[in-house]
Amino acid sequence: MDLRLCGFFLATYCGVAFPSVSDETGALPPPSHVSLILSSHFCVNLSWSPPENLNSSTCDVRYLIIETTTQGSKQYRRMQAHFNSCLSMNSGVNYTMRTQPNMCPHRTDSEDVVRSIPPRNGVIEKLVEGFQCVYTPGSMNCTWQPPNQTRDLQLYYWYENMAQPLEHCGLYLYTGDLKTGCHLHGDFLNFTNLTHEVFFLINGTHGSSTLWNTFQMVPRDHMKPSPPKLRITELESMLELYCDPPSGFDPKLQCWDYTYRYKSSKSAWEEKNICRGESALIPYDQRFQYRVQVKAICREICGKGASDWSQEVSYGQDQAPDWSYHMALISIPVVVTICVILFLFFLKKLRVLILPQIPDPMKLFKDLINSTEDPTAVDSHLRENTAILWGKSFEKQNVYVPEMPELCVDVMVLEFEPILEP
Ligand SMILES: *[C@@H]1O[C@H](CO)[C@@H](O)[C@H](O)[C@H]1NC(C)=O
Ligand SMILES: *[C@@H]1O[C@H](CO)[C@@H](O)[C@H](O)[C@H]1NC(C)=O
Ligand SMILES: *[C@@H]1O[C@H](CO)[C@@H](O)[C@H](O)[C@H]1NC(C)=O
Ligand SMILES: *[C@@H]1O[C@H](CO)[C@@H](O)[C@H](O)[C@H]1NC(C)=O
Ligand SMILES: *[C@@H]1O[C@H](CO)[C@@H](O)[C@H](O)[C@H]1NC(C)=O
Ligand SMILES: *[C@@H]1O[C@H](CO)[C@@H](O)[C@H](O)[C@H]1NC(C)=O
Ligand SMILES: *[C@@H]1O[C@H](CO)[C@@H](O)[C@H](O)[C@H]1NC(C)=O
Ligand SMILES: *[C@@H]1O[C@H](CO)[C@@H](O)[C@H](O)[C@H]1NC(C)=O
């Protein structure tokens, strides 16, 4: 109890004593009379007075401002006593400020002063989903997912230096009956002076309440030019591909890299990346038709984004299939098969010569009996015995079996060779 009381008195003493000490050393006093007001739908004015009890001729200070939204935080430093910012503050914004020494020896940062703008709809409620824009010089299309039960949805936009506080969307894009986008156009979207952000406000009645959503967009970061026009010329068994840069951009800026993709009737798609509008060379086989597409990709110096693939441009024709080639393809296996059959045939004949067939004694015996008496009278026992007995004379008979095989071989080989040659 005593200790806590002591602490309290100490704290009170320090709080009282602080201002008199701060003239010399320690933390600087914070900015005074800080006010934060909404100056428009998208902009805030933060203003303040220099710290009290500070001799500005001996101590020069500056101000640190931290802007925090759900997207993250940004820091700014200011010498003067006001700060303006334009931003989408759907879900509110907090400003944290402090005084910092600029030319003021022995002093440290002041304590923080916080000012807030609460979320627009109290609770953060989304009126539309997936808000996004695509930019082409002179115009921009912004689209969103249709809300479920929202009536009288309206889109307004604004950019810095615009005369009036808000401009209503001039041309809505529809999906069925629902507004799902807006087409914006005008000088403010001319690429040559495109340095600003564009702010959007969408409001509508959802149930019984009116909801507001705000968005901000840097058109340069959402480039989507129309696809470039592709041209193809033939150059010594190569194809040279080139295209005109997307229109509406200063050609001197060299904003674009290109990706070509190509395919012959016999191959898969291949891609080739080319920097700064130089032409691309691809190998060309005249027997096939080639299909080519191109897409422009924005270089960092101009923004972000890319075009869609251009329409396919085809070059050359598929040549009629070469029949001599196909004939060769078909005839080779046929000829080989015939050769194999002939070879097997002759092998059989040759085998008869080299390894004479062992005669079937039964057959011979049968033949013999056929010529003398009735074969049915002979029983199996007798057949076996006679076969052994007559063996020698059968062999003698066998000599007459081959039918001049050598002659046959020569004749057939002659027939066979002309077929092989074509
Ligand atoms: C906000 O600040 C700007 C520039 O300092 C000033 O011109 C403008 O009048 C201020 N707006 C309000 C509503 O105070
Ligand atoms: C501020 O400091 C200067 C230089 O020390 C002094 O001449 C001047 O009187 C001081 N001003 C105030 C208001 O204290
Ligand atoms: C601003 O500060 C309040 C109170 O600390 C906090 O609840 C809120 O989430 C903050 N808002 C943002 C956008 O950071
Ligand atoms: C924007 O919308 C208009 C109208 O539907 C259309 O003609 C145009 O091609 C669109 N532009 C882009 C970049 O999508
Ligand atoms: C639309 O309805 C679906 C399902 O009923 C719901 O999940 C979604 O959050 C609704 N969207 C809006 C924007 O109200
Ligand atoms: C863009 O340039 C046009 C023509 O030079 C001009 O009329 C317009 O005000 C400029 N827009 C912005 C936002 O600077
Ligand atoms: C953009 O503005 C410049 C001058 O500021 C003008 O020469 C040009 O024609 C404009 N381009 C378009 C697409 O409006
Ligand atoms: C939407 O905002 C505009 C501009 O502030 C206002 O005129 C209009 O009444 C609002 N619509 C609804 C439904 O609140």
Short mmCIF file of all heavy atoms in Angstrom, two decimals, residues 40-65:
data_model
loop_
_atom_site.label_atom_id
_atom_site.label_comp_id
_atom_site.label_asym_id
_atom_site.label_seq_id
_atom_site.Cartn_x
_atom_site.Cartn_y
_atom_site.Cartn_z
N SER A 40 -13.18 14.93 -48.03
CA SER A 40 -14.06 14.45 -49.11
C SER A 40 -14.33 12.97 -48.85
O SER A 40 -13.95 12.45 -47.80
CB SER A 40 -13.38 14.64 -50.48
OG SER A 40 -12.38 13.66 -50.67
N HIS A 41 -14.93 12.29 -49.82
CA HIS A 41 -15.20 10.87 -49.62
C HIS A 41 -13.93 10.05 -49.47
O HIS A 41 -13.94 8.95 -48.92
CB HIS A 41 -16.00 10.31 -50.80
CG HIS A 41 -17.44 10.68 -50.74
ND1 HIS A 41 -17.99 11.71 -51.47
CD2 HIS A 41 -18.44 10.18 -50.00
CE1 HIS A 41 -19.26 11.82 -51.20
NE2 HIS A 41 -19.58 10.90 -50.32
N PHE A 42 -12.85 10.57 -50.03
CA PHE A 42 -11.62 9.76 -50.08
C PHE A 42 -10.42 10.43 -49.39
O PHE A 42 -9.37 9.81 -49.32
CB PHE A 42 -11.24 9.46 -51.53
CG PHE A 42 -12.34 8.85 -52.32
CD1 PHE A 42 -13.09 9.60 -53.20
CD2 PHE A 42 -12.65 7.51 -52.17
CE1 PHE A 42 -14.12 9.03 -53.93
CE2 PHE A 42 -13.68 6.92 -52.89
CZ PHE A 42 -14.42 7.69 -53.78
N CYS A 43 -10.58 11.69 -48.94
CA CYS A 43 -9.39 12.39 -48.44
C CYS A 43 -9.57 12.86 -47.00
O CYS A 43 -10.69 13.14 -46.56
CB CYS A 43 -9.08 13.60 -49.32
SG CYS A 43 -8.77 13.15 -51.03
N VAL A 44 -8.45 12.91 -46.30
CA VAL A 44 -8.46 13.40 -44.92
C VAL A 44 -7.50 14.59 -44.80
O VAL A 44 -6.52 14.69 -45.53
CB VAL A 44 -8.03 12.30 -43.91
CG1 VAL A 44 -9.04 11.19 -43.86
CG2 VAL A 44 -6.65 11.78 -44.24
N ASN A 45 -7.83 15.50 -43.88
CA ASN A 45 -6.91 16.57 -43.49
C ASN A 45 -6.52 16.33 -42.04
O ASN A 45 -7.37 16.28 -41.17
CB ASN A 45 -7.60 17.94 -43.55
CG ASN A 45 -7.52 18.56 -44.93
OD1 ASN A 45 -7.18 17.88 -45.88
ND2 ASN A 45 -7.83 19.85 -45.00
N LEU A 46 -5.22 16.21 -41.86
CA LEU A 46 -4.72 16.06 -40.50
C LEU A 46 -3.94 17.35 -40.24
O LEU A 46 -3.05 17.71 -41.01
CB LEU A 46 -3.80 14.83 -40.45
CG LEU A 46 -3.23 14.39 -39.12
CD1 LEU A 46 -4.34 13.95 -38.17
CD2 LEU A 46 -2.25 13.24 -39.34
N SER A 47 -4.33 18.07 -39.20
CA SER A 47 -3.59 19.31 -38.91
C SER A 47 -3.33 19.42 -37.41
O SER A 47 -4.03 18.78 -36.61
CB SER A 47 -4.36 20.52 -39.43
OG SER A 47 -5.65 20.53 -38.86
N TRP A 48 -2.36 20.20 -37.03
CA TRP A 48 -1.94 20.32 -35.64
C TRP A 48 -1.17 21.61 -35.42
O TRP A 48 -0.88 22.33 -36.39
CB TRP A 48 -1.11 19.11 -35.22
CG TRP A 48 0.15 18.93 -36.04
CD1 TRP A 48 1.38 19.42 -35.75
CD2 TRP A 48 0.29 18.25 -37.30
NE1 TRP A 48 2.29 19.10 -36.73
CE2 TRP A 48 1.64 18.36 -37.70
CE3 TRP A 48 -0.59 17.56 -38.12
CZ2 TRP A 48 2.13 17.82 -38.89
CZ3 TRP A 48 -0.10 17.02 -39.29
CH2 TRP A 48 1.24 17.14 -39.66
N SER A 49 -0.85 21.89 -34.18
CA SER A 49 -0.01 23.04 -33.84
C SER A 49 1.32 22.52 -33.33
O SER A 49 1.39 21.41 -32.80
CB SER A 49 -0.67 23.88 -32.75
OG SER A 49 -1.92 24.33 -33.20
N PRO A 50 2.37 23.33 -33.45
CA PRO A 50 3.68 22.89 -32.93
C PRO A 50 3.57 22.63 -31.42
O PRO A 50 2.68 23.18 -30.75
CB PRO A 50 4.59 24.09 -33.20
CG PRO A 50 3.93 24.85 -34.29
CD PRO A 50 2.46 24.66 -34.10
N PRO A 51 4.44 21.80 -30.91
CA PRO A 51 4.39 21.48 -29.47
C PRO A 51 4.47 22.74 -28.62
O PRO A 51 5.17 23.70 -28.99
CB PRO A 51 5.62 20.61 -29.27
CG PRO A 51 6.07 20.18 -30.61
CD PRO A 51 5.58 21.18 -31.58
N GLU A 52 3.77 22.71 -27.52
CA GLU A 52 3.84 23.84 -26.59
C GLU A 52 5.13 23.73 -25.78
O GLU A 52 5.72 22.65 -25.71
CB GLU A 52 2.62 23.82 -25.67
CG GLU A 52 1.37 24.32 -26.38
CD GLU A 52 0.08 23.86 -25.72
OE1 GLU A 52 0.13 23.11 -24.73
OE2 GLU A 52 -0.99 24.26 -26.23
N ASN A 53 5.51 24.84 -25.19
CA ASN A 53 6.70 24.88 -24.34
C ASN A 53 7.97 24.48 -25.09
O ASN A 53 8.81 23.77 -24.58
CB ASN A 53 6.57 23.97 -23.10
CG ASN A 53 5.32 24.29 -22.31
OD1 ASN A 53 5.00 25.49 -22.11
ND2 ASN A 53 4.62 23.28 -21.91
N LEU A 54 8.03 24.88 -26.32
CA LEU A 54 9.24 24.57 -27.09
C LEU A 54 9.70 25.83 -27.80
O LEU A 54 8.92 26.48 -28.50
CB LEU A 54 8.94 23.47 -28.12
CG LEU A 54 10.14 22.75 -28.70
CD1 LEU A 54 10.83 21.90 -27.64
CD2 LEU A 54 9.71 21.88 -29.88
N ASN A 55 10.93 26.24 -27.56
CA ASN A 55 11.49 27.43 -28.20
C ASN A 55 11.96 27.05 -29.60
O ASN A 55 12.96 26.36 -29.76
CB ASN A 55 12.64 27.97 -27.33
CG ASN A 55 13.12 29.32 -27.85
OD1 ASN A 55 12.92 29.67 -29.01
ND2 ASN A 55 13.75 30.08 -26.97
N SER A 56 11.19 27.46 -30.62
CA SER A 56 11.45 27.00 -31.99
C SER A 56 12.77 27.55 -32.55
O SER A 56 13.31 27.03 -33.51
CB SER A 56 10.30 27.39 -32.90
OG SER A 56 10.12 28.79 -32.88
N SER A 57 13.28 28.61 -31.95
CA SER A 57 14.55 29.14 -32.46
C SER A 57 15.75 28.33 -31.95
O SER A 57 16.83 28.38 -32.54
CB SER A 57 14.71 30.62 -32.11
OG SER A 57 14.62 30.78 -30.72
N THR A 58 15.58 27.58 -30.88
CA THR A 58 16.69 26.74 -30.39
C THR A 58 16.46 25.27 -30.68
O THR A 58 17.41 24.48 -30.66
CB THR A 58 16.89 26.91 -28.87
OG1 THR A 58 15.64 26.64 -28.23
CG2 THR A 58 17.37 28.30 -28.52
N CYS A 59 15.22 24.90 -30.94
CA CYS A 59 14.93 23.47 -31.18
C CYS A 59 14.01 23.32 -32.39
O CYS A 59 12.84 23.69 -32.33
CB CYS A 59 14.29 22.87 -29.93
SG CYS A 59 13.89 21.13 -30.12
N ASP A 60 14.59 22.79 -33.46
CA ASP A 60 13.82 22.59 -34.69
C ASP A 60 13.30 21.15 -34.72
O ASP A 60 14.08 20.23 -34.50
CB ASP A 60 14.74 22.87 -35.89
CG ASP A 60 13.96 22.91 -37.19
OD1 ASP A 60 12.73 23.14 -37.13
OD2 ASP A 60 14.57 22.68 -38.26
N VAL A 61 11.99 21.00 -34.97
CA VAL A 61 11.42 19.64 -34.96
C VAL A 61 10.73 19.32 -36.29
O VAL A 61 10.45 20.20 -37.10
CB VAL A 61 10.40 19.46 -33.80
CG1 VAL A 61 11.08 19.55 -32.47
CG2 VAL A 61 9.25 20.46 -33.93
N ARG A 62 10.50 18.04 -36.47
CA ARG A 62 9.67 17.56 -37.61
C ARG A 62 8.66 16.57 -37.04
O ARG A 62 8.71 16.21 -35.86
CB ARG A 62 10.55 16.91 -38.68
CG ARG A 62 11.26 15.69 -38.15
CD ARG A 62 12.16 15.04 -39.18
NE ARG A 62 12.77 13.88 -38.58
CZ ARG A 62 13.71 13.17 -39.16
NH1 ARG A 62 14.18 13.52 -40.34
NH2 ARG A 62 14.21 12.10 -38.57
N TYR A 63 7.74 16.11 -37.93
CA TYR A 63 6.65 15.25 -37.46
C TYR A 63 6.63 13.95 -38.24
O TYR A 63 6.76 13.95 -39.47
CB TYR A 63 5.31 15.98 -37.57
CG TYR A 63 5.35 17.32 -36.89
CD1 TYR A 63 5.62 18.49 -37.62
CD2 TYR A 63 5.19 17.42 -35.50
CE1 TYR A 63 5.70 19.71 -36.99
CE2 TYR A 63 5.28 18.65 -34.87
CZ TYR A 63 5.54 19.79 -35.62
OH TYR A 63 5.64 21.01 -34.98
N LEU A 64 6.44 12.87 -37.51
CA LEU A 64 6.29 11.56 -38.15
C LEU A 64 4.82 11.18 -38.11
O LEU A 64 4.17 11.26 -37.05
CB LEU A 64 7.12 10.51 -37.39
CG LEU A 64 6.94 9.07 -37.89
CD1 LEU A 64 7.69 8.85 -39.21
CD2 LEU A 64 7.42 8.06 -36.86
N ILE A 65 4.29 10.78 -39.28
CA ILE A 65 2.88 10.38 -39.37
C ILE A 65 2.82 8.94 -39.87
O ILE A 65 3.39 8.62 -40.92
CB ILE A 65 2.09 11.31 -40.32
CG1 ILE A 65 2.14 12.75 -39.79
CG2 ILE A 65 0.64 10.87 -40.46
CD1 ILE A 65 2.77 13.69 -40.76
#
